[in-house]
Amino acid sequence: METNTTAVDRRKLWPWIAVAVVFAGAALSLHLEGRLWMCACGNILIWSGNICSADNSQHIFDPYSFTHVLHGFLFFWLALILLKRLRPNWQLVIAVAAEAVWEIFENTNFIINRYRSETAALGYNGDTVINSFGDILCCLIGFMIARRLGWRYSLIVFAVLELILIFWIKDSLLLEIVMLIFSVDAIRAWQMCR
């Protein structure tokens, strides 16, 4: 006979199973899209800090991983507005699924070519599957941090991270969005002076 505690534990487990399925589905989709599992160099690095190298977007984490943390913040805010009746763990599942969809779309030839032509990412070849895993994980972590901080404090942290990224790598989540939608020559010229 099943106890109430067992049923509750199982209910808490389903969202995490869904997250694992999203990760697996994203990995398979990205690989079928032609993305390499890992860097062609044959190494797997936890961190690759040089954004102007062939290692950028090829290893688990890089400076752009912080923009994916900010995706998690944005998805948390959207969940507060659009999904407020949904349980928090299922809001997280939807955020992770949305990030996985973005990773798949971001690695299409259309977006890769857009990055190359309209941003400072001249040699960008797309992400490896392992880098996309890191990006999705960063979004999940960002969502959880924002949920822990709440609306006001997460907004402050978002702004601080944006400023740090602008000074550190001359890019940020908001600049990425602007450059993908409306390429601004002055921003691209500024970013090229890394």
Side-chain angles (χ1 to χ4, degrees):
M1 184 168 186
E2 188 174 321
T3 66
N4 283 345
T5 306
T6 307
V8 169
D9 289 344
R10 197 174 297 147
R11 211 174 318 139
K12 288 181 180 179
L13 187 61
W14 282 113
W16 294 107
I17 291 170
V19 165
V21 168
V22 168
F23 270 90
L28 182 60
S29 295
L30 287 161
H31 186 65
L32 291 174
E33 198 173 83
R35 302 288 100 217
L36 297 175
W37 288 107
M38 59 185 232
C39 180
C41 67
N43 296 325
I44 297 176
L45 300 176
I46 303 266
W47 175 258
S48 173
N50 185 354
I51 62 167
C52 296
S53 77
D55 284 337
N56 193 50
S57 297
Q58 301 302 296
H59 298 283
I60 300 172
F61 301 112
D62 57 48
Y64 283 97
S65 299
F66 291 101
T67 65
H68 294 277
V69 170
L70 295 178
H71 287 183
F73 280 55
L74 292 175
F75 290 140
F76 169 73
W77 297 333
L78 286 171
L80 279 179
I81 297 166
L82 303 174
L83 305 171
K84 54 186 158 198
R85 292 187 177 185
L86 199 58
R87 291 180 186 263
N89 284 348
W90 287 107
Q91 291 174 347
L92 176 67
V93 170
I94 291 172
V96 169
E99 182 70 8
V101 168
W102 167 248
E103 280 299 314
I104 293 164
F105 181 61
E106 179 186 36
N107 285 287
T108 61
N109 287 333
F110 171 75
I111 294 295
I112 290 170
N113 290 333
R114 183 91 178 142
Y115 273 132
R116 282 186 198 150
S117 67
E118 304 302 329
T119 73
L122 300 175
Y124 180 66
N125 291 314
D127 300 348
T128 59
V129 173
I130 199 163
N131 179 260
S132 289
F133 256 57
D135 291 345
I136 296 168
L137 180 62
C138 284
C139 175
L140 183 150
I141 291 167
F143 186 96
M144 293 174 77
I145 290 170
R147 182 166 63 191
R148 183 83 133 140
L149 293 174
W151 168 258
R152 287 188 187 117
Y153 291 118
S154 65
L155 188 59
I156 293 167
V157 171
F158 184 96
V160 168
L161 269 176
E162 279 286 300
L163 289 171
I164 289 170
L165 287 169
I166 287 169
F167 288 110
W168 178 25
I169 62 171
K170 291 189 175 184
D171 211 349
S172 71
L173 177 59
L174 296 178
L175 284 177
E176 280 182 347
I177 293 168
V178 167
M179 293 301 287
L180 275 175
I181 297 172
F182 321 99
S183 182
V184 179
D185 291 335
I187 293 175
R188 184 179 19 210
W190 171 71
Q191 288 177 326
M192 297 292 271
C193 301
R194 295 181 188 191

